[in-house]
Every structure is written in structure tokens, then in C-alpha cells.
Amino acid sequence: MFSVTVRDHMMVAHSFRGEVFGPAQRLHGATFVVDATFRRAELDADGIVVDIGRATEELRAVLAELTYRNLDDEPAFAGVNTTTEVLCRTVADRLAERAHAGALGAGARELAGITVTLHESHIAWASYERSL
Amino acid sequence: MFSVTVRDHMMVAHSFRGEVFGPAQRLHGATFVVDATFRRAELDADGIVVDIGRATEELRAVLAELTYRNLDDEPAFAGVNTTTEVLCRTVADRLAERAHAGALGAGARELAGITVTLHESHIAWASYERSL
Amino acid sequence: MFSVTVRDHMMVAHSFRGEVFGPAQRLHGATFVVDATFRRAELDADGIVVDIGRATEELRAVLAELTYRNLDDEPAFAGVNTTTEVLCRTVADRLAERAHAGALGAGARELAGITVTLHESHIAWASYERSL
Amino acid sequence: MFSVTVRDHMMVAHSFRGEVFGPAQRLHGATFVVDATFRRAELDADGIVVDIGRATEELRAVLAELTYRNLDDEPAFAGVNTTTEVLCRTVADRLAERAHAGALGAGARELAGITVTLHESHIAWASYERSL
Amino acid sequence: MFSVTVRDHMMVAHSFRGEVFGPAQRLHGATFVVDATFRRAELDADGIVVDIGRATEELRAVLAELTYRNLDDEPAFAGVNTTTEVLCRTVADRLAERAHAGALGAGARELAGITVTLHESHIAWASYERSL
Amino acid sequence: MFSVTVRDHMMVAHSFRGEVFGPAQRLHGATFVVDATFRRAELDADGIVVDIGRATEELRAVLAELTYRNLDDEPAFAGVNTTTEVLCRTVADRLAERAHAGALGAGARELAGITVTLHESHIAWASYERSL
């Protein structure tokens, strides 16, 4: 199995509901350094998993819909805690939609799966792994 | 599949028995930067894999039993080489015991597995992965 | 010249005023990974720049006054853009006050200066350096 | 499952054929920071996955055949784009050959697999995972 | 003293003349992860050292003139070894020219200096520091 | 001013005397990731600060005298706490001796200074800077 990963980041404000979150129930923020990994069983004729330029652009486009915002105000997250885990799934699912729509090129139909990791600090991160 | 990882560290002395270890047969030491990863198929009602605050505390508690010690003197490791691999398993198994005992909360019963990675330097690390 | 650095982090929401900030004029957030460096010309009798345990506690105490908050609501920052640079100075000045008040121990009177670096992402950081 | 990873690097020139590569069709170069991971279900009698000294030497030997070269001139890559993905497979396959030939010791016969990751920058990397 | 640093990278081929370079006399390549640091004694009215957006764009523009090239073919480096140290100075000098020409904004006239660091691998890097 | 830095590591056991050290008064250990920085006002005729190959070898030689040892048993440290700060000075002074003895080549006579940084974990490090 092969994989390619590209890294970008987003900077958001949000708050959480639920006693388990302690002080994070207050409005605060985070830089999420985001790693998007694309997996594929065999390489294409060019010797790649995916066009890394396109992968980078699509990740940037997905993060552009989230960054520099207060996620508490985003309709897409109404009634949902925007935890690091939830945001991993959001980014992975939106990348999967774009892959299905052809944004990563024809070869992206051969992708086996996507994993998205969000680093919230130097001591904590989360991941979500899905098939395509 | 979702995962959450928290990082901490420990600083220990130890020595190894066996020619394969070369100069590491002498008493020496290591800082182990420790990553504990908790895996779970679905998120709980709060949108998390595990209470990250509790996960951090439990990892710290497990490492507090090991750090600032000469592991050659610890009864738990009598007759055992405390290699990076063995210590990964020790940390993972002790975290698993705590999860089973409820230290990570009721939701932790849904955890699928734990992976522990110990970084012994900028050029070498080891991991142990187990189910829960 | 000797120095010792300890690392911690904070997670805040804020917004900026001024066209130069572009989309960062909207309410957003950041994780700041914070490095506090203490400088001293000669080591003390124990062979240290500063008690690293105390330095860690004081940095944590300074960051506890800032983390998990919307800095736009903090009286201390009324009328001030809480840029990465400004927050570096805030953390450095508050550490300096604590050093002067004895929180870092008697030996801390020999400290020559403090530098604080805030990493806002994997591709951008700022620093502020001052004497003591 | 246990694993051990060792890190080294190589510095190569190369160019790619295919429109998908854009400006990388020109002769350029890369530092690849290389992580070689060895997996094994159970530890050996010494408590290790593999002799980390030998693993480091074998990785260095494999990279010595590639580093400080223009890969466009290497017969082994005639007609092949030496993408990060392809080079991951090359390094993994050559390590596997050496493991099979006994270079990692008798215990290496118990290895379950090898994963090789090449970091081409702070924002992009690729991996290849194979069984042994 | 305040500073702000932004990070980008370039991927080049080159070779060196001189016995001191050993195997690096052959055509090879490198990824240089580039950190550009801008220093200033006092912050401007917005609370910043420099517009980080512009600093990022100017660094990218400087690196765009170097990346995905064989530096042995660049007239700017005729008769010069493009060592990591030399490339640090090239990037710093070109950023300084742009700052003087106003590309970083009017406030950039207050900049005290620039430092450029090029990381050639996980175990080696170089820097060049100059005033403005 | 130019600088070049090379990185290596050592793994030692030791203990400290003095209440300020708390649990670190017990025999424990550390991995020190060591960065040695060589500074010079102007580059030599080859375009370098120092032969990076020699610098790497000399750093390795200095660390070879310390690694895989219990520093409490080393005569060189009798009556001295081998704190991170003290070890920074030891490594810097030993590199300076080697530079003066010609081990870094004739050009090394032009070196302005050396800085040594020891990283004891992901959250703490120390440095010592000296002239040559």
C-alpha cells in the first residue's frame, strides 16, 4: 500500500458544550495543523498516488471554508461540538466528495482511502480514517 | 476509525543484557517522549474518542511510576530488558488496565485499541499496538 | 552565556482591527506553542540557570491567565491587537514580574534576560527578547 | 504488533516526465528524510523487534547507493519517474532483500513487514508498506 | 527586540567544486526548508513587526526564482559554490532588496535586520544574519 | 554573520545533588539531542563556515566520550552536577579544543564562536554560547 500526505493549517475560534470539556466550554481557539493522507494500492502510470499539486490545492480549498472563522456561527456545525475528532471527519469527508467529483483527477478513482490528522498542539492530535 | 493521541515523557536509567546491545550493555539512560493513541470506531455523544484531560492525566500517572528511576532496580522488570519496545508494551498495558478500571470514563469501554510510541531520540522510536 | 528554555501552550480566540490583517479581522483563534528562554552569564552553585521546575510552573501560571479565553473580552488587551508579537511581550513581561517578585527563586536575580517565542503554526512564529 | 523505526536521509537530483509534474519536469533535487519501520508480532528473546544498530547500518547502506547522485543517470531507474512514492518502494524492497539475505540477523526472519516513509519537505511525505 | 519568522521551502539540484565537499562534488540535490526572520526594535501601530501575509508572499517570490532548478545552470551563481551558507545570504539579500523597494510596506523601513536559515536535512542547517 | 549547525545525540545516566532537583536526585537518565553551531563573520574560499563532514565527525567524537555511560562515575564530572547547562558547556569547550588543535581544518581558525544546545525532552532544552 502507498500513501501521500500533504500538510496545511487553519485557525479557528469555537466553544464546546458538555462538562467533560472543562474550561474549553468557554469561547477559545486553535491552530489545527492538518495532514491529509491519500492511500492507494498501486501507483498510476506516472508513478504517483495522486497529483500532489492538486491534493495541496484541494486541501487548501477545504480549509479555506473553515479558517479565520468562529465555528460556533457556522450552520454546518449547528448542534455539533467541533472537536478535533469531528473536524478530522469533516475535512476527510469534504476531501472525499471532491475526489469523487473529479477534483483530484481521473486517477483519484483508484484511491483506497483518506486519513486526516489535526494537530491541536505539540502534545495532542486526532485522526479520522475512511475508505473512498 | 477515529483516534486521539496525547504526548508526555519520562527520563530513566537502565542497562541491557545481551551482546546485541553493544555499548548499551553499560548503565546509561534515555528520555522517552511517549505518545499514547486511543482508537475508537465511532465518537461518543460529546463528539470525542476519549476525555483528553483524563487521557493526559492517566498517561502522566503511568509515566510517574517509571520516570526518574533506574529501571534495573524496579521489581516489575526483574530479568527483563527494558528496551524501547518492552516499555511501549508496559505503558500500553497499564493504560489498558486503567481504561478497564474506569479511569478514562464510561465511554472508554467503547475504545477499540491503544497504541503507544516511545521516541528514544530524533532518529529512533518504537511502537506497540494492542486491542482493548 | 547560558540559557534554559521550557515549552507550554495556550489556546485562544481573538480578532484584529486593521486592513493589514485581511481575513484575520474576523473572530478566529490560535494555538500558541510558547517557548520561554531564561538567560544568565554564569551558572549558580547547583550548575543551573534557573530551577526548571519553577520556570515550568511560572510559565504555566502566566498562560493560565490567557488560555481558553476570547482575548477580545480581556480588559488587559482593551484597544490592543493581540498579535503574536504583542502576546510574546505580554508573556515575557509577566514572567519578568514574577522573576522580580522571587517566584523563580533567589538565584533568578542573576538572570540577564528572557526571550519568549510563540509558534502560531508550523510556518509562522514570533519572538520578543528583553533584559531583566 | 510491535515496530521499530530508524531515520536517515539522502540528497538527490532528478527530473520527472509527465505534464502532471509541472515545474518538477525540470532537473531539480530533494533531501529525503527516510524513516524505515520494521514490524513484528512478538519480540525476540532479547526483547527487541530487530537489532537497531544493524537496522541503522542497513538503511545507511541502502541510501548510500542513492545519495549524492542524479537519479536520471541511474540504470536502475531507466524509464521510471523517481517520485517520492517510487523511492519509498525502492528503499523498502532493498531493505527486504537484505533482511531475507540475513543482514538484519536471524531474528529478522520473524519480521512481518516493512514501511518506508520519505519526507520531501515540511509539508509533504509519502509511504510504502509491504509484508516480508 | 521583536522578530517574526515565516517558513517555506525550495527543491534544487547543484554540485560543488572543491575536495572538501567529497561526494557532494557530484550532481545531487536538496530540499531547503527556509525560515526568514524579520527583526524590529518596536512594533508598529497595528502591533506587528511586518505584515506576515506580505512577508510570506515575498519569501515565496524569492524562492520561486530558485526552486525546481539546477543551480549549476543559473548565471547568478556562475563560479560560486551554492552551499547552504551562500544560499542563506542570497535569500536574505534578495529579501532585503525587496524590503528597501517597499514590497513589505512602509513600516518595513523600521526593520532592523533579517536572518535566513536553510535546513538541508533533519541534522544540518545554516544561517545568515544581516542588518537592513 | 554566518553559522552552520549539526545535530547528533547521546544517552546517559546521572543523578543530581541539591534539593532544587526534586525527584531528579535519584539515578535516572536522558537522551540529549545535541546541536552544535559554528559561527563565522565571512565564508571561506569554498563558500562555507566549516567543513560540515569534519564538524559532524568531531561532534560525534566528543559525544562518544559521554554516551552510554553513567556520568556519576566519570572522573571529569567529580563533584559537579551534570545538568543540561553544564553538559552544554562541556561539549562546547571540547569542540573548541578540537578546533584550536586543527581538527576542523585550517579555516576553522576564522571561527568566531560555538553554541551548543542540548534538548532533554520535547519541552525543555538548554544552550551555552562561547567565543573561540
PDB file of all heavy atoms in Angstrom, chain A residues 8 15 41 50 60 87 92 99 107 124:
ATOM      1  N   ASP A   8      -1.246  21.397   5.748  1.00  0.00           N
ATOM      2  CA  ASP A   8      -1.635  22.808   5.721  1.00  0.00           C
ATOM      3  C   ASP A   8      -2.177  23.143   7.125  1.00  0.00           C
ATOM      4  O   ASP A   8      -2.010  22.331   8.046  1.00  0.00           O
ATOM      5  CB  ASP A   8      -2.697  23.032   4.638  1.00  0.00           C
ATOM      6  CG  ASP A   8      -2.764  24.480   4.153  1.00  0.00           C
ATOM      7  OD1 ASP A   8      -2.408  25.395   4.924  1.00  0.00           O
ATOM      8  OD2 ASP A   8      -3.180  24.684   3.010  1.00  0.00           O
ATOM      9  N   SER A  15     -16.321  26.936  20.810  1.00  0.00           N
ATOM     10  CA  SER A  15     -16.538  26.566  22.211  1.00  0.00           C
ATOM     11  C   SER A  15     -17.243  25.220  22.208  1.00  0.00           C
ATOM     12  O   SER A  15     -17.800  24.805  21.193  1.00  0.00           O
ATOM     13  CB  SER A  15     -17.393  27.624  22.921  1.00  0.00           C
ATOM     14  OG  SER A  15     -18.677  27.698  22.329  1.00  0.00           O
ATOM     15  N   ALA A  41      -3.495   1.305  -3.539  1.00  0.00           N
ATOM     16  CA  ALA A  41      -2.798   0.009  -3.572  1.00  0.00           C
ATOM     17  C   ALA A  41      -1.635   0.010  -4.560  1.00  0.00           C
ATOM     18  O   ALA A  41      -0.564  -0.521  -4.262  1.00  0.00           O
ATOM     19  CB  ALA A  41      -3.786  -1.113  -3.900  1.00  0.00           C
ATOM     20  N   VAL A  50      -1.297  10.359  -6.208  1.00  0.00           N
ATOM     21  CA  VAL A  50      -2.219  11.427  -6.580  1.00  0.00           C
ATOM     22  C   VAL A  50      -1.358  12.627  -6.966  1.00  0.00           C
ATOM     23  O   VAL A  50      -0.221  12.745  -6.519  1.00  0.00           O
ATOM     24  CB  VAL A  50      -3.149  11.767  -5.391  1.00  0.00           C
ATOM     25  CG1 VAL A  50      -2.392  12.397  -4.236  1.00  0.00           C
ATOM     26  CG2 VAL A  50      -4.302  12.673  -5.809  1.00  0.00           C
ATOM     27  N   ARG A  60      -6.264  22.950   0.615  1.00  0.00           N
ATOM     28  CA  ARG A  60      -6.347  24.392   0.908  1.00  0.00           C
ATOM     29  C   ARG A  60      -7.786  24.895   0.730  1.00  0.00           C
ATOM     30  O   ARG A  60      -8.280  25.683   1.557  1.00  0.00           O
ATOM     31  CB  ARG A  60      -5.395  25.171  -0.007  1.00  0.00           C
ATOM     32  CG  ARG A  60      -5.398  26.677   0.281  1.00  0.00           C
ATOM     33  CD  ARG A  60      -4.259  27.379  -0.424  1.00  0.00           C
ATOM     34  NE  ARG A  60      -2.990  26.779  -0.023  1.00  0.00           N
ATOM     35  CZ  ARG A  60      -1.863  26.830  -0.732  1.00  0.00           C
ATOM     36  NH1 ARG A  60      -1.848  27.466  -1.893  1.00  0.00           N
ATOM     37  NH2 ARG A  60      -0.758  26.254  -0.286  1.00  0.00           N
ATOM     38  N   LEU A  87     -13.745  17.591  13.480  1.00  0.00           N
ATOM     39  CA  LEU A  87     -13.166  18.362  12.373  1.00  0.00           C
ATOM     40  C   LEU A  87     -12.313  17.474  11.458  1.00  0.00           C
ATOM     41  O   LEU A  87     -12.261  17.694  10.247  1.00  0.00           O
ATOM     42  CB  LEU A  87     -12.352  19.543  12.910  1.00  0.00           C
ATOM     43  CG  LEU A  87     -13.198  20.633  13.587  1.00  0.00           C
ATOM     44  CD1 LEU A  87     -12.297  21.658  14.267  1.00  0.00           C
ATOM     45  CD2 LEU A  87     -14.132  21.322  12.592  1.00  0.00           C
ATOM     46  N   ALA A  92     -11.954  15.177   6.093  1.00  0.00           N
ATOM     47  CA  ALA A  92     -11.822  13.942   5.306  1.00  0.00           C
ATOM     48  C   ALA A  92     -13.024  13.749   4.382  1.00  0.00           C
ATOM     49  O   ALA A  92     -12.871  13.402   3.203  1.00  0.00           O
ATOM     50  CB  ALA A  92     -11.659  12.738   6.235  1.00  0.00           C
ATOM     51  N   ALA A  99     -12.799  14.352  -4.285  1.00  0.00           N
ATOM     52  CA  ALA A  99     -12.171  13.269  -5.053  1.00  0.00           C
ATOM     53  C   ALA A  99     -13.210  12.594  -5.945  1.00  0.00           C
ATOM     54  O   ALA A  99     -12.976  12.355  -7.135  1.00  0.00           O
ATOM     55  CB  ALA A  99     -11.523  12.248  -4.116  1.00  0.00           C
ATOM     56  N   GLY A 107      -7.271   9.631 -12.003  1.00  0.00           N
ATOM     57  CA  GLY A 107      -6.578   8.581 -11.263  1.00  0.00           C
ATOM     58  C   GLY A 107      -7.041   8.462  -9.835  1.00  0.00           C
ATOM     59  O   GLY A 107      -6.886   7.412  -9.201  1.00  0.00           O
ATOM     60  N   ALA A 124      -0.969  17.074  21.534  1.00  0.00           N
ATOM     61  CA  ALA A 124      -2.264  16.419  21.302  1.00  0.00           C
ATOM     62  C   ALA A 124      -2.674  16.517  19.840  1.00  0.00           C
ATOM     63  O   ALA A 124      -2.557  17.580  19.229  1.00  0.00           O
ATOM     64  CB  ALA A 124      -3.339  17.058  22.182  1.00  0.00           C
TER      65      ALA A 124
END
